[in-house]
Amino acid sequence: MPAAAPSGAGLAVQSADVAGAGGLHYDDWVAEFYDSWFADWFDRAGTVDRLVELAGGGPVLELGIGTGRVALPLVQRGVEVHGVDASEAMVARLRAKPGGEHVPVTIGDFSEVAVPGRFSLVFVTAGSFFELQRQEAQVRGFANVARCLRPGGLFVLDGPVPDTGRHGDEAAMRVVRGRSGQLVVRFAEVDRAEQRYVSHYAVLGEGGPRVFSVPYRYALPAELDLMAAMAGLRLRERTAGWRGERFTSASDQHVSVYELPAQGAD
C-alpha cells in the first residue's frame, strides 16, 4: 500500500512508489517529469564509467531501469543492456528516447520476476534497491540476482550508510530542480525502529499543488553482506562512491560489488 503523503489543504495526493520493485510503480505524471527533477541527484558519468569496467563482455541487467538514465549511456558505450522495471510509464519514456526501443525490458518486481538469460553484471543505482520495502523482499532480491548471474558474475548496488546516532535533520527539506514554472520540495519521515523512511515530494505548478511519496527500507552494509551470503554471493569490494573513493567509517554512501563464485571455486 502506498505510504501516506503529508496532509494539506488543496493538495492532490499522487502516489508513485517503486520503479522496478515491490509490485508498485511510478505513474504517468511522475514519469513525465522524472528526468528533469532528478537530473543532478547522482553521478551519472562516474556511474557509467564504473559499470563499463565491471561489465566485462556483458550482457548486463539493470534493475529499475526506469527512463534509461544509466542504460542508454551504457548502450552508447557498446554494452548490451537488459532491464527490469515495474512501471510501464517509466519504460515508455525509455522507449521514446533514441535507442531506447531496442533495449529488452521485463516488466515486473525485480525481487522475483524471472528474466531470460544470464548476465555478467546485474546492477541497481540511485539507491533503488531500498525501494524493496521489507527485509524479506530484499533477501528475495539478492536470491533473484544470483539466479540471473553467470558463474563469476557481479552484482553492484549503491546506497546510503544510515547514521543511526543522528537525531534532527530527518525532516530537513530540499528543493528539487523542477521544470520551468515548477517548484519541487522534498522532505522525509524516518522510522528508525522499522528501518524505514519515506521521501515526500510537494510539487507546485500548473494544475495546482500535488504530493507524491516514495517509501524505502534502508539497511546497513553489514546486513546487505549477510543477505548476499544467503544468496551465495560474496563481497568483492566496497567504495564510498562510483569513482572508487575509499570507504571509511566516515563514509555516508557506499557502492558494494558482490560476486557469484565461479563453479568449483572455494
Side-chain angles (χ1 to χ4, degrees), residues 10-12 29 203-211:
L11 290 179
W29 178 71
V203 184
L204 305 177
E206 290 185 18
R210 308 177 81 165
V211 171

Side-chain angles (χ1 to χ4, degrees), residues 132-265:
L132 295 170
Q133 296 163 38
R134 299 177 62 84
Q135 186 184 60
E136 308 93 276
Q138 293 176 358
V139 169
R140 288 198 309 271
F142 270 96
N144 202 27
V145 165
R147 288 191 289 269
C148 292
L149 286 173
R150 297 172 175 175
L154 304 176
F155 174 44
V156 58
L157 76 161
D158 61 4
V161 178
D163 184 351
T164 57
R166 185 181 61 195
H167 302 277
D169 66 348
E170 294 93 346
M173 292 193 297
R174 173 175 178 175
V175 176
V176 181
R177 184 179 69 180
R179 295 213 312 201
S180 177
Q182 283 184 336
L183 173 65
V184 185
V185 179
R186 178 259 192 191
F187 54 102
E189 290 182 295
V190 178
D191 183 342
R192 296 187 184 281
E194 297 293 332
Q195 292 183 211
R196 298 179 188 277
Y197 68 94
V198 182
S199 288
H200 300 296
Y201 298 87
V203 184
L204 305 177
E206 290 185 18
R210 308 177 81 165
V211 171
F212 72 97
S213 302
V214 186
Y216 300 84
R217 191 263 176 188
Y218 62 82
L220 287 164
E223 184 182 359
L224 297 174
D225 293 350
L226 180 58
M227 293 181 192
M230 291 169 62
L233 305 174
R234 60 191 179 196
L235 182 68
R236 187 168 108 169
E237 67 174 302
R238 175 169 288 130
T239 60
W242 286 97
R243 297 178 185 267
E245 301 91 335
R246 190 168 73 91
F247 184 78
T248 72
S249 58
S251 300
D252 59 7
Q253 300 284 326
H254 70 95
V255 174
S256 297
V257 181
Y258 297 97
E259 182 175 26
L260 180 68
Q263 292 175 343

Side-chain angles (χ1 to χ4, degrees), residues 91-106:
V91 174
R93 292 283 162 177
L94 163 67
R95 295 280 182 245
K97 296 177 180 179
E101 70 275 16
H102 302 303
V103 178
V105 178
T106 301

